[in-house]
Amino acid sequence: MTTTTSAADVGVTGPLAARLTRAGQRLRQADRAHPWVLDTAVAALVFLMFCLPDLVHHGGVGHGDGDGRRRFQFAFTRLPLAAVLALQAGLVLPLLWRRRRPMAVFVAIAVVFFVQWSLGAALRADVALFVALYSLALHGRLRQLPWAGAVMAAGMVLVAVRISSVVSVWDALFFLLSTATAALAVGLTVRARRAQLAGLRERAARLETERDQRIRLATATERARVAREMHDIVGHNLSVIITLADAGAYAADTAPEHGKEALRLIGDTGRTALGELRRVLGVLREASDGARQAPELSPQPGLADIGALCDGVRTAGLEIVYRTVGEVDALDRGVQLTVYRIVQEALTNTLKHAGAGTRVNLSVAAGDERLVIRIRDNGPAKGPGPRNEEGHGLVGMRERAALYGGTVSAGPVADGGWAVEAALDLTPRGGTR
């Protein structure tokens, strides 16, 4: 039975809370669009509830029957209707600016309040002073509140003294100061709640901006990674194909069998390049229905594949001497891929600029904390541009080495030829040397 009642309560309270929330949102939107409407409504409500009864009875709360009437006649002064209207206007009309000029409104109403009680008159419209204090706590500057509190306390003491013949001073002070404290507390509570909601909205907007920035950064990083892979694959294999094609064209008339061999090697190299391109692009391709297709993946190349890389380049005419030092097979797969791509780019540049018949000495030396790659050839500079021209290849090598805290240097050697040296840091991240 208890469970059924709770479910029913939730069923009723849920839609009611949702409707109240939507109504509150619509009111806030309307208030932001037309702020003067709410201020006018507050002033009109104070007039109808607190000013109109005094006007109907021609001058104040001190008009009752019997003993109460006689006591209030002695306690308060009966003012003319024009004076009552003037005081009510001074108390109520400033509320129209209570959000735009909260301190000025509070001062104006307080002045009228003190004038009224110095004349010995009591008006229900005095509630406007509490509304002004609430508005000051909600919309004004916090450093103004102590001054407003002092003025409010002085006004409450004045009222308590003036009505001491009717009500005990301490009882009157307790009621009046409690009411003022409640108005102040409600204003500060609403202010804190609004500041909290504003902070949450700002934080949500900041998190959304940071999320978008992370997405853009990840996209740019992935684009750069794919661009490096494409450059390594296409640049290397095209250089090999071009060299084999030139050699095949030269041998077509003098040694046709060598021309056929060159064509076969061109086909093998092209198929290898096509397979690597499919592997890279397959990761990015999505099906038309939005589901990601699983591409046929092959392991990323490592140090064990450098031998096959050297064999492919040898078919294009380079003489390569390759040796390793240390436990290179135990290296991390990411380090091995970086070494492979650096070696591939260096051999591609040698093939492009030095040409066939060049001798290349390639060594990979792995220590406990450092790995060094050296590629040196004895060929002259030739090709479309100077060999010291820094293009995408050398930049790509430096970017890959930088991932492992390494450096890449390249330049001519004294006795002829060209040398590339790359050093990678093998120290684990966060570890000690």
Side-chain angles (χ1 to χ4, degrees):
M1 184 65 183
T2 303
T3 304
T4 304
T5 302
S6 299
D9 292 341
V10 171
V12 173
T13 306
L16 178 60
R19 286 195 294 269
L20 290 176
T21 301
R22 288 193 295 269
Q25 291 175 349
R26 287 194 292 268
L27 285 176
R28 285 192 294 271
Q29 292 174 356
D31 182 48
R32 285 193 294 268
H34 306 285
W36 57 270
V37 175
L38 179 60
D39 295 334
T40 304
V42 170
L45 183 64
V46 171
F47 175 79
L48 293 176
M49 293 183 63
F50 301 100
C51 296
L52 198 57
D54 287 344
L55 296 177
V56 171
H57 293 91
H58 295 286
V61 296
H63 299 282
D65 295 326
D67 294 338
R69 178 177 179 179
R70 285 192 295 270
R71 286 198 305 270
F72 278 93
Q73 283 177 343
F74 286 109
F76 303 111
T77 303
R78 181 182 177 87
L79 298 176
L81 182 60
V84 172
L85 285 173
L87 290 173
Q88 287 181 345
L91 291 169
V92 176
L93 288 180
L95 293 178
L96 295 174
W97 294 272
R98 66 184 185 88
R99 289 190 292 181
R100 286 168 287 181
R101 298 288 186 271
M103 188 61 184
V105 169
F106 178 81
V107 171
I109 294 177
V111 169
V112 177
F113 179 84
F114 279 100
V115 170
Q116 169 208 323
W117 281 97
S118 65
L119 296 175
L123 297 175
R124 292 182 177 90
D126 290 337
V127 73
L129 185 62
F130 298 98
V131 177
L133 180 63
Y134 162 82
S135 301
L136 179 61
L138 179 58
H139 304 290
R141 299 176 181 176
L142 294 179
R143 65 173 180 267
Q144 297 171 341
L145 291 181
W147 298 99
V151 172
M152 196 74 181
M156 298 303 100
V157 170
L158 175 62
V159 174
V161 171
R162 296 292 296 183
I163 64 175
S164 59
S165 60
V166 181
V167 182
S168 169
V169 173
W170 298 110
D171 291 342
L173 277 178
F174 175 78
F175 174 77
L176 293 172
L177 292 178
S178 297
T179 305
T181 302
L184 184 64
V186 172
L188 292 176
T189 301
V190 175
R191 183 189 189 117
R193 178 61 177 170
R194 290 184 179 179
Q196 182 183 14
L197 292 177
L200 291 176
R201 285 193 293 268
E202 181 182 357
R203 183 172 182 269
R206 185 171 64 253
L207 290 176
E208 184 176 358
T209 302
E210 292 176 355
R211 181 202 62 191
D212 295 339
Q213 291 176 346
R214 285 195 298 269
I215 292 175
R216 288 194 293 269
L217 181 61
T219 302
T221 302
E222 181 65 13
R223 185 181 294 115
R225 186 190 68 81
V226 173
R228 285 197 302 267
E229 292 289 329
M230 295 287 290
H231 175 270
D232 293 339
I233 294 171
V234 174
H236 170 74
N237 289 287
L238 280 181
S239 296
V240 174
I241 289 173
I242 291 171
T243 303
L244 290 173
D246 292 340
Y250 177 78
D253 297 331
T254 58
E257 65 278 3
H258 292 300
K260 292 180 180 180
E261 179 66 14
L263 292 176
R264 184 186 65 80
L265 293 174
I266 289 173
D268 293 340
T269 304
R271 281 187 290 271
T272 300
L274 184 60
E276 293 187 16
L277 287 175
R278 285 175 176 172
R279 174 179 57 80
V280 174
L281 297 179
V283 178
L284 305 177
R285 186 178 296 115
E286 294 182 353
S288 57
D289 58 356
R292 185 178 294 275
Q293 294 179 338
E296 297 181 1
L297 300 177
S298 60
Q300 290 277 26
L303 286 172
D305 300 295
I306 293 182
L309 175 66
C310 293
D311 292 338
V313 178
R314 288 189 185 102
T315 61
L318 292 184
E319 299 179 12
I320 301 176
V321 178
Y322 170 51
R323 65 186 181 91
T324 61
V325 178
E327 298 294 332
V328 294
D329 294 333
L331 293 174
D332 179 76
R333 292 297 302 176
V335 175
Q336 293 195 34
L337 175 61
T338 299
V339 173
Y340 180 90
R341 292 305 187 194
I342 291 176
V343 171
Q344 184 184 50
E345 180 62 31
L347 294 179
T348 300
N349 289 338
T350 300
L351 184 62
K352 182 190 303 182
H353 295 286
T358 302
R359 180 182 177 86
V360 180
N361 291 315
L362 168 62
S363 66
V364 178
D368 294 335
E369 301 179 355
R370 188 177 176 86
L371 182 143
V372 179
I373 310 165
R374 293 186 177 90
I375 306 101
R376 178 175 176 177
D377 64 68
N378 62 353
K382 76 175 209 177
R387 293 185 63 175
N388 60 355
E389 181 181 354
E390 185 168 320
H392 296 290
L394 186 55
V395 173
M397 285 192 285
R398 286 174 175 164
E399 289 177 352
R400 290 184 181 276
L403 295 176
Y404 293 92
T407 58
V408 175
S409 60
V413 294
D415 55 351
W418 191 264
V420 176
E421 181 173 325
L424 306 182
D425 185 6
L426 301 181
T427 304
R429 298 295 175 89
T432 57
R433 291 186 177 272

